[in-house]
């Protein structure tokens, strides 16, 4: 019987209103680590507190990493459409040419 794993891609809103995208296997612990400032070299260290805006669970780490990379390349507006699960807007923004 295959083992079920939990991997999460998550998006945080930082105190400066920027977004941080990450991947973890324990969302609760990772969020606490971001807010406690465990790593002085992390992007979120000087941007605390952070607020969880979105997460999605994956069974396979490869799928989670692929999605994390994809979302990191998205515009702010497209990430906000994801928060709202506005799939029409995500598609529209995907086809939008500057």
């Amino acid at each position: 019987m295959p083992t079920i794993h939990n991997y999460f891609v998550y998006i945080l809103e930082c105190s400066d209103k920027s977004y941080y995208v990450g991947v973890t296997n324990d969302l609760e612990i990772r969020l606490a680590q971001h807010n406690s400032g465990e790593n002085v070299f992390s992007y979120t260290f000087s941007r605390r507190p952070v607020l969880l805006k979105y997460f999605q669970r994956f069974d396979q780490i490869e799928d989670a990493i692929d999605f994390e990379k994809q979302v990191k390349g998205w515009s702010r507006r497209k990430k906000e459409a994801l928060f709202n699960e506005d799939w029409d807007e995500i598609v529209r923004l995907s086809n939008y040419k500057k």
Side-chain angles (χ1 to χ4, degrees):
M1 181 173 208
T3 304
I4 296 177
H5 297 283
N6 286 311
Y7 302 101
F8 300 91
V9 173
Y10 62 96
I11 304 176
L12 305 176
E13 182 178 44
C14 300
S15 63
D16 65 358
K17 301 300 181 194
S18 64
Y19 293 130
Y20 174 86
V21 180
V23 66
T24 185
N25 64 351
D26 192 320
L27 190 57
E28 189 175 327
I29 288 175
R30 190 69 185 113
L31 184 58
Q33 289 170 334
H34 279 291
N35 273 316
S36 71
E38 267 187 35
N39 181 354
V40 297
F41 300 108
S42 87
Y43 177 84
T44 59
F45 181 80
S46 63
R47 294 170 172 87
R48 293 174 288 147
V50 298
L51 176 66
L52 180 65
K53 295 294 283 187
Y54 178 85
F55 70 90
Q56 185 170 333
R57 192 191 74 76
F58 295 84
D59 293 327
Q60 302 296 320
I61 188 62
E62 297 84 5
D63 295 335
I65 291 169
D66 288 346
F67 187 64
E68 177 199 24
K69 288 178 182 177
Q70 181 182 19
V71 172
K72 280 185 174 185
W74 287 5
S75 68
R76 179 178 189 85
R77 287 174 54 196
K78 196 168 176 182
K79 289 173 187 165
E80 290 169 349
L82 181 64
F83 304 158
N84 297 317
E85 297 183 352
D86 186 344
W87 308 116
D88 291 336
E89 182 68 358
I90 290 170
V91 169
R92 189 187 74 74
L93 291 167
S94 295
N95 296 322
Y96 178 73
K97 305 290 184 225
K98 291 181 182 180

